Amino acid sequence: EVGVDEIFPIYTDRVVVRVKEKKARWDRIVRSAAYQSGREKIPKIHSPMTLEKAIKIANGTKIVFEMDGLNFNELESMVNTQRAIYSIFIGPEGGFSDREKELFREKEFFFVSLSPYILRSETAGIVAISLLIATSKFLFYEVK
């Protein structure tokens, strides 16, 4: 509904749900949401993968939404607004582990906070994308 082209479910150190079991349900939800919102292109949901693999294929501006990250306004002044692709990572319940955060740091991801409150993963994704598209210089860019 908010313009995402691809979704990559990932296994993390603190994953609670086995995402492989959810893919068929997610495919139905995505098709329905795309239809309701008038989107011609249905977002693709990839098969679940490890965090390490997802980090390797991330491209464009790479962002991890994490409680102790930059304020969203600080991100605006740091990113290359000419990039058309954003790869965003939303953590599992309990957040990313210290090991996983180090993997992100090694690949120069931006750590950005969405809220002073702890958000559910489903909510955090919508909030993150809404902030990106509501910021004028991010409008009409592809968000992954």
Side-chain angles (χ1 to χ4, degrees), residues 15-144:
V15 72
V16 176
V17 176
R18 301 315 303 178
V19 293
K20 192 172 191 175
E21 300 158 9
K22 301 277 186 177
K23 188 171 179 324
R25 179 174 179 265
W26 290 339
D27 285 334
R28 287 191 307 274
I29 291 169
V30 164
R31 276 193 303 279
S32 176
Y35 175 77
Q36 282 181 320
S37 62
R39 290 192 66 190
E40 293 179 17
K41 181 179 178 186
I42 297 173
K44 179 177 182 180
I45 299 181
H46 293 265
S47 295
M49 64 183 67
T50 65
L51 177 64
E52 291 79 3
K53 181 175 180 183
I55 287 173
K56 283 181 185 175
I57 63 173
N59 56 5
T61 300
K62 301 177 284 191
I63 305 168
V64 178
F65 287 100
E66 181 69 30
M67 285 289 294
D68 57 355
L70 299 168
N71 178 293
F72 186 80
N73 293 330
E74 293 174 277
L75 174 69
E76 289 182 81
S77 65
M78 298 175 73
V79 299
N80 177 354
T81 59
Q82 300 306 306
R83 299 301 285 267
I85 297 173
Y86 294 89
S87 294
I88 66 171
F89 285 70
I90 305 293
E93 182 178 326
F96 290 109
S97 69
D98 290 340
R99 179 190 74 81
E100 292 166 334
K101 289 178 189 178
E102 188 55 37
L103 292 172
F104 288 123
R105 282 187 198 93
E106 289 172 5
K107 297 298 181 182
E108 300 179 350
F109 277 71
F110 290 100
F111 284 77
V112 179
S113 177
L114 289 173
S115 166
Y117 308 108
I118 297 172
L119 303 176
R120 294 176 57 112
S121 294
E122 313 81 67
T123 307
I126 298 297
V127 170
I129 295 161
S130 297
L131 283 171
L132 287 171
I133 63 175
T135 304
S136 61
K137 62 183 168 184
F138 291 112
L139 275 178
F140 306 113
Y141 287 145
E142 177 185 358
V143 177
K144 280 190 175 182

